Amino acid sequence: IRKMRLSGELECCFTIDAGANVHVICPDAVHAKVGARLADQFGQFEILVDRVGQGPRVELEMGTVP
């Protein structure tokens, strides 16, 4: 990730949570390219793709959304 970022090849960065999980953060426009590079280099590991959600919402009752 550092090499991709410093070379200007792909716009991305990473963070590591309390465990051994590396989280790669990148703009939506390059996520497929970043994912492909990670799969090429680290195909033995499970790679999960996640996106930003719709934001918070208020639920009036269990299971109902206003």
Side-chain angles (χ1 to χ4, degrees):
I1 299 300
R2 284 185 182 133
K3 287 179 185 177
M4 284 192 289
R5 189 169 143 206
L6 292 174
S7 71
E9 178 184 352
L10 289 172
E11 186 180 351
C12 57
C13 60
F14 72 94
T15 184
I16 301 171
D17 65 11
N21 300 312
V22 177
H23 298 263
V24 178
I25 302 166
C26 64
D28 206 33
V30 298
H31 89 272
K33 290 180 183 178
V34 172
R37 284 289 303 272
L38 292 173
D40 285 345
Q41 293 183 9
F42 305 103
Q44 71 273 26
F45 297 104
E46 182 178 12
I47 298 173
L48 304 174
V49 177
D50 196 4
R51 293 208 164 85
V52 176
Q54 298 297 316
R57 64 181 184 205
V58 176
E59 294 190 13
L60 299 176
E61 295 180 29
M62 186 79 138
T64 61
V65 178

